[in-house]
Amino acid sequence: MTNQELEQRLAGALSRTAPDDLEGVLSRCAEQKGDVISVTRKKKYPVMRNLVAACLTVALVGGGMIYQQAYAVTSIVSLDVNPSIELKVNKRECVLVCEALNAEAEAVLADMNGGADLEGTKLNVAVNAIVGTLMRNGYLDSISSAILISVEDGDQTRAVRLQQELTAEVDTVLLAQASEAAVFSQTVKKDVALEKQAKENRISTGKASLITQITERNHELTFEKLSALSVEELKDLLEAGAPGMPIGREAAVSAAKQYAGVSGLSSVQWEVDAELDDVPACYEVDLYISGMELEYAVDAYSSKVIRGTPVTISKNSSGAFPDSIGTNGEKLIGEDAALDAAVADFCARYPDLRSKDITNHCVELDMDDGKVRYDVKFYLNGYEVDYDIDAKSGCVLEWDADHEGLVAETKIAANGDVGRAKAMQIALAHAGLTESQTTRLQIEKDKGNRRMVYEIEFKEGKTEYEYIIDAATGVVLEHEKDRDD
Amino acid sequence: MLLEMIQTTEYETRLSRKELDQFLFRVAAGETEALSLLYHYSRVAVYATALSVLKNAHNAQDVTQDTFVRVWESAAQYRSQGSPMAWILTIARNLALTKLRQGKRQAELDEERWDAIPAEVPNITVEDRRLIQEALSGLSDEERRIVLLHAVSGLKHREIAELLKLPLATVLSKYHRALKKLRMFMKGDDAL
């Protein structure tokens, strides 16, 4: 089955199950059409006048009470991801104190003068700024991330209102950044014992309250150990029924590195994502070594690696790249052999070319879908060539080439348009085909992001080609090739 | 008559960007007929986008309707740049993400499961069920999103990359991996 046939079957199945309720849509649109509210600038002035009048009234009537109200804490709002930040707020919903409760929070608030810059600002503005900073620091960027908003206030009505308003505020920030992180919120009643416990463990009372719910489910879990987990981990743990104590992110990374055989390499970088609500519960760990990505899943309770390829890596003479990677210390063919294999294959396709004419090259080791490969790039007689070579067998997995000559030849199109025929010729030359070899050839001129482009599609046997060519210069902007198995 | 024709040719002919642009401009001018045409051409793509985020057919149906109401409200803000379909699908995706967050807050844990068969489609064929429920459930969330968008929206891989805020290389590799997985599943299915 070709890609196209598979996609057509999918599209067909979805079209038969997708809703077809045009009437429902039109009736809702009609309702709104009848209730159109004309927003004009004029409307704003009475509102502004009322606000000014209200402010004056408060100033005159409030008198000496204002000073006292301004410095009295009425609400405590905490934001927990793993950084925990606490905001003490007055009756006018201005921030009196912004405090980092743990080291991660201190790092997040560093560019806001440790939180002091937020003091005196409105609560919603401060929360907006903090969530923005959390995102810039790499928190809240995966769908499994979560932020917990907790509001403690003696006035329960105000607590609920603040909870709703802040949740909407955070939602807006996340939506604007296309973050898929979850937002949890709660109101918390004052509890002196819980506050003490929270303070001792450098977390917010909001997070402490979440931990208490977990320890109530499983008495063997300790408050202290759970304090080290992120909101995302705690939320998943609670949903999973708190079956045990997760090993935590650091231990998961350590287990993955040990399993991968790269514990001793200082250049290893990683990303870790807790999936405690999966079955089996695990930490997904991605290790990055010399531009290569290795994926592992570590059991969240036993530290056992349950998915991923064990590897052994040794460095080549220059120490720059690993030259051996495999399950049993299998040797790889090496960068030089990978380059030779790629060049030999390319020159066999274009007999006029000579391998000695290579002007520049680059070889990188990569792992994709459990397969170790060399990404080879070289330049030869105006061609920019990319190859994927199987790192163990030396076989060609994929190849692709651009030709600069064709671009240079067409760059000076007098009317700013190379024309359909030339665009087609460029695409076919790029693919190494003649028009007679292709079927379903289509060309369409369209407006791209910033320029006019030709979109060209054709098939050769079971291979589908798609090109986007700059109409003015003939440059191949994008190309795709799908091979059907 | 026109609508009948559109329904029968929905997946054989996709609208060009220019035509979609024109429909959106007409929707902005308050033409419900243009909205009807837009609905028939893009409802499956909108539904697939919502479903790929929410993983739940019932919620995806709600978001599909909300999306077209939002298109009706916002068409005047549309500017002809890039892909009009991507503009519509961005609305669908944002509405779906909002619903997803609301659902998570309400701890609707069932939404985590891939549940692509709406309750009110009783006569679904075994083949359709196997494909969109069982085969797609074997993909990761991102693979499923990419494959669905490519299969039904007519968006190019680079437009999908832009919509999902992913590097093009990631979209391409996940797309090919996903199709490979689907093909393996379907092969096994045919062998049964």
Side-chain angles (χ1 to χ4, degrees):
Chain A
M1 194 189 304
T2 66
N3 286 355
Q4 203 177 1
E5 285 164 356
L6 191 54
E7 287 202 344
Q8 275 172 356
R9 280 174 73 171
L10 258 180
L14 273 165
S15 72
R16 288 184 284 277
T17 53
D20 193 1
D21 182 23
L22 177 62
E23 279 182 22
V25 173
L26 292 178
S27 67
R28 282 179 61 191
C29 293
E31 275 171 29
Q32 296 196 356
K33 208 173 181 180
D35 293 329
V36 172
I37 299 166
S38 170
V39 181
T40 63
R41 286 184 174 277
K42 280 184 181 174
K43 285 195 171 182
K44 288 188 178 173
Y45 297 123
V47 174
M48 283 303 291
R49 273 203 298 273
N50 290 343
L51 276 176
V52 172
C55 291
L56 282 171
T57 310
V58 168
L60 292 169
V61 176
M65 290 173 67
I66 290 175
Y67 182 84
Q68 198 182 348
Q69 284 177 1
Y71 291 95
V73 174
T74 55
S75 322
I76 298 175
V77 174
S78 58
L79 303 172
D80 292 278
V81 180
N82 206 23
S84 287
I85 295 167
E86 190 173 82
L87 299 161
K88 290 188 171 122
V89 181
N90 68 8
K91 198 173 182 178
R92 287 186 288 173
E93 291 167 26
C94 285
V95 175
L96 298 172
V97 180
C98 173
E99 190 184 356
L101 298 179
N102 54 12
E104 284 170 284
E106 281 165 12
V108 168
L109 292 179
D111 61 351
M112 294 182 188
N113 198 15
D117 289 352
L118 297 176
E119 290 167 14
T121 61
K122 293 293 283 184
L123 175 61
N124 61 339
V125 174
V127 167
N128 187 309
I130 290 169
V131 174
T133 309
L134 283 167
M135 295 192 73
R136 279 196 298 281
N137 280 271
Y139 297 99
L140 301 172
D141 56 359
S142 80
I143 193 166
S144 54
S145 307
I147 181 168
L148 174 68
I149 304 167
S150 310
V151 182
E152 182 187 320
D153 194 311
D155 179 343
Q156 188 58 18
T157 310
R158 186 168 53 205
V160 170
R161 179 178 59 76
L162 281 177
Q163 177 195 1
Q164 288 169 350
E165 288 176 3
L166 294 177
T167 303
E169 183 74 39
V170 173
D171 249 347
T172 306
V173 180
L174 295 179
L175 196 58
Q177 301 293 323
S179 164
E180 299 181 38
V183 186
F184 297 92
S185 61
Q186 60 180 356
T187 59
V188 183
K189 287 189 178 156
K190 192 166 176 65
D191 181 332
V192 177
L194 195 65
E195 274 174 27
K196 185 169 175 286
Q197 211 169 6
K199 205 164 191 174
E200 283 169 2
N201 289 282
R202 301 199 72 196
I203 60 170
S204 71
T205 46
K207 188 171 173 181
S209 169
L210 186 60
I211 291 173
T212 308
Q213 292 176 51
I214 294 170
T215 52
E216 280 169 2
R217 290 208 179 191
N218 185 341
H219 299 297
E220 290 179 5
L221 304 184
T222 66
F223 190 99
E224 289 71 22
K225 283 186 178 171
L226 289 169
S227 300
L229 300 183
S230 67
V231 167
E232 170 194 347
E233 288 167 296
L234 293 173
K235 177 257 307 180
D236 283 355
L237 188 60
L238 189 60
E239 285 174 0
M245 183 66 210
I247 57 171
R249 287 161 195 269
E250 279 183 34
V253 172
S254 174
K257 284 168 74 174
Q258 196 172 1
Y259 184 77
V262 297
S263 296
L265 287 180
S266 57
S267 59
V268 180
Q269 293 185 312
W270 62 86
E271 280 178 17
V272 57
D273 202 5
E275 298 291 354
L276 302 184
D277 54 345
D278 273 6
V279 180
C282 66
Y283 287 91
E284 290 181 348
V285 182
D286 293 341
L287 301 179
Y288 301 94
I289 310 155
S290 301
M292 183 175 61
E293 183 181 340
L294 303 165
E295 295 177 0
Y296 297 92
V298 181
D299 186 285
Y301 301 108
S302 70
S303 299
K304 190 179 168 193
V305 175
I306 52 177
R307 198 168 63 240
T309 313
V311 296
T312 50
I313 291 179
S314 63
K315 291 193 172 182
N316 62 9
S317 52
S318 70
F321 296 101
D323 70 353
S324 171
I325 181 166
T327 47
N328 300 308
E330 282 177 80
K331 276 284 177 192
L332 305 188
I333 60 166
E335 292 171 21
D336 292 344
L339 177 64
D340 289 346
V343 175
D345 183 82
F346 191 65
C347 289
R349 291 171 192 273
Y350 295 86
D352 295 343
L353 303 178
R354 296 285 172 269
S355 60
K356 65 180 174 53
D357 294 330
I358 286 183
T359 52
N360 207 349
H361 73 271
C362 165
V363 184
E364 284 183 11
L365 192 60
D366 193 12
M367 183 181 258
D368 186 24
D369 211 11
K371 200 169 196 117
V372 193
R373 56 179 71 196
Y374 285 104
D375 289 341
V376 181
K377 187 183 204 66
F378 60 88
Y379 297 86
L380 179 61
N381 284 24
Y383 283 94
E384 181 183 335
V385 189
D386 292 293
Y387 265 79
D388 277 3
I389 302 288
D390 187 301
K392 290 176 189 167
S393 69
C395 291
V396 174
L397 299 170
E398 279 177 49
W399 72 278
D400 186 36
D402 281 330
H403 193 282
E404 296 162 5
L406 284 165
V407 174
E409 190 185 314
T410 54
K411 255 181 187 166
I412 43 167
N415 58 357
D417 189 339
V418 296
R420 283 171 184 265
K422 191 74 192 173
M424 184 72 78
Q425 187 193 340
I426 290 167
L428 289 169
H430 186 280
L433 297 170
T434 60
E435 190 170 343
S436 61
Q437 289 175 286
T438 65
T439 55
R440 296 201 199 169
L441 206 147
Q442 288 177 38
I443 180 163
E444 188 186 334
K445 193 175 178 187
D446 204 349
K447 195 176 174 200
N449 278 344
R450 273 174 253 137
R451 55 189 130 199
M452 294 304 292
V453 295
Y454 284 105
E455 294 175 354
I456 301 170
E457 290 175 20
F458 49 85
K459 283 190 80 172
E460 190 263 325
K462 290 189 170 182
T463 308
E464 299 164 358
Y465 294 83
E466 192 177 305
Y467 280 86
I468 297 173
I469 307 242
D470 189 318
T473 63
V475 171
V476 178
L477 298 173
E478 283 174 31
H479 59 94
E480 287 169 21
K481 187 164 100 174
D482 289 341
R483 284 181 190 158
D484 298 326
D485 298 331
Chain B
M1 180 63 194
L2 180 60
L3 284 184
E4 269 175 36
M5 187 195 81
I6 288 166
Q7 279 167 346
T8 53
T9 59
E10 194 165 10
Y11 285 95
E12 289 155 24
T13 314
R14 281 179 177 142
L15 285 183
S16 73
R17 289 171 188 195
K18 203 177 282 177
E19 286 166 315
L20 270 176
D21 263 353
Q22 289 307 315
F23 281 146
L24 279 173
F25 292 141
R26 287 173 54 197
V27 170
E31 282 188 38
T32 50
E33 193 194 349
L35 184 69
S36 306
L37 292 166
L38 203 61
Y39 183 84
H40 282 284
Y41 272 114
S42 55
R43 73 182 168 91
V44 182
V46 167
Y47 174 69
T49 303
L51 184 63
S52 71
V53 173
L54 294 161
K55 304 190 206 171
N56 174 287
H58 179 69
N59 289 341
Q61 287 177 330
D62 288 349
V63 166
T64 302
Q65 191 175 89
D66 292 345
T67 300
F68 285 98
V69 175
R70 185 65 67 85
V71 166
W72 174 253
E73 292 167 350
S74 318
Q77 292 158 28
Y78 173 71
R79 297 288 174 270
S80 180
Q81 287 172 340
S83 162
M85 179 60 89
W87 184 78
I88 296 169
L89 297 186
T90 301
I91 293 177
R93 180 172 152 76
N94 284 344
L95 289 173
L97 286 172
T98 304
K99 195 168 188 79
L100 187 72
R101 289 198 195 99
Q102 287 166 350
K104 280 199 169 184
R105 268 201 295 283
Q106 291 155 15
E108 289 174 8
L109 300 179
D110 283 350
E111 284 187 8
E112 299 294 331
R113 252 180 334 115
W114 174 248
D115 183 10
I117 308 293
E120 58 274 28
V121 184
N123 297 323
I124 186 164
T125 64
V126 173
E127 191 194 7
D128 283 356
R129 182 179 291 277
R130 289 281 287 157
L131 190 59
I132 63 174
Q133 178 59 37
E134 295 171 36
L136 286 177
S137 72
L139 304 184
S140 74
D141 290 354
E142 238 162 32
E143 287 170 348
R144 206 184 292 125
R145 276 171 211 170
I146 291 164
V147 160
L148 284 178
L149 279 169
H150 199 263
V152 301
S153 71
L155 291 188
K156 312 272 182 209
H157 284 122
R158 68 185 157 82
E159 292 169 331
I160 293 172
E162 215 167 286
L163 180 71
L164 300 181
K165 300 195 185 332
L166 291 171
L168 178 62
T170 306
V171 168
L172 285 170
S173 71
K174 284 186 189 288
Y175 171 76
H176 290 298
R177 197 177 300 175
L179 281 187
K180 205 182 281 178
K181 282 187 192 173
L182 285 178
R183 205 175 285 117
M184 291 284 285
F185 183 92
M186 299 309 286
K187 267 184 196 163
D189 198 26
D190 292 342
L192 287 175

